[in-house]
């Protein structure tokens, strides 16, 4: 039986992390499948890089951020649909 991702707890756990190692531990907890964990980590890093650019007033990255968010949602939706 697959455990459903609790997004709220996942995000709270990520916010508590002080470094990348702690973040990797959180990802291991919530994404036991190595391939899925690797894909979601990559999406998260892409999102964070884009977010940093926006904070630095590089507004042309907004489309990249929106695309990344859509990729994350699509990946989660595809996983949930495959589990049914």
């Amino acid at each position: 039986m697959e455990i459903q991702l609790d997004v709220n707890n996942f995000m709270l756990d990520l916010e508590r992390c002080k470094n990348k190692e702690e973040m990797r531990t959180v990802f291991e907890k919530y994404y036991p499948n190595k391939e899925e964990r690797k894909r979601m980590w990559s999406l998260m890093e892409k999102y964070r890089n884009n977010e940093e650019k926006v904070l630095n007033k590089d507004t042309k990255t907004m489309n990249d951020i929106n695309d990344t968010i859509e990729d994350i949602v699509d990946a989660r939706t595809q996983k949930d649909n495959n589990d049914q």
Side-chain angles (χ1 to χ4, degrees):
M1 176 186 283
E2 183 87 17
I3 297 173
Q4 291 292 326
L5 176 69
D6 183 336
V7 177
N8 291 330
N9 286 338
F10 174 66
M11 296 306 290
L12 287 172
D13 286 351
L14 280 180
E15 288 176 14
R16 292 184 192 111
C17 295
K18 294 176 184 85
N19 55 46
K20 276 192 173 185
E21 282 305 311
E22 289 181 4
M23 291 176 77
R24 286 193 187 276
T25 301
V26 169
F27 268 75
E28 288 175 7
K29 174 182 174 184
Y30 287 93
Y31 293 99
N33 178 283
K34 185 177 180 178
E35 292 302 314
E36 182 182 16
R37 181 171 58 244
K38 185 176 174 182
R39 184 175 71 245
M40 297 309 283
W41 179 265
S42 175
L43 288 170
M44 188 265 317
E45 283 191 322
K46 182 178 175 185
Y47 177 79
R48 290 183 63 189
N49 289 339
N50 287 335
E51 186 178 47
E52 186 175 318
K53 289 177 186 175
V54 168
L55 291 175
N56 291 327
K57 306 296 186 214
D58 182 1
T59 56
K60 68 182 179 178
T61 61
M62 286 308 294
N63 285 338
D64 289 339
I65 290 174
N66 289 333
D67 290 345
T68 303
I69 291 170
E70 286 178 19
D71 289 345
I72 292 169
V73 170
D74 289 346
R76 189 72 236 164
T77 302
Q78 179 182 8
K79 171 82 173 92
D80 290 344
N81 287 339
N82 289 342
D83 288 345
Q84 292 179 358

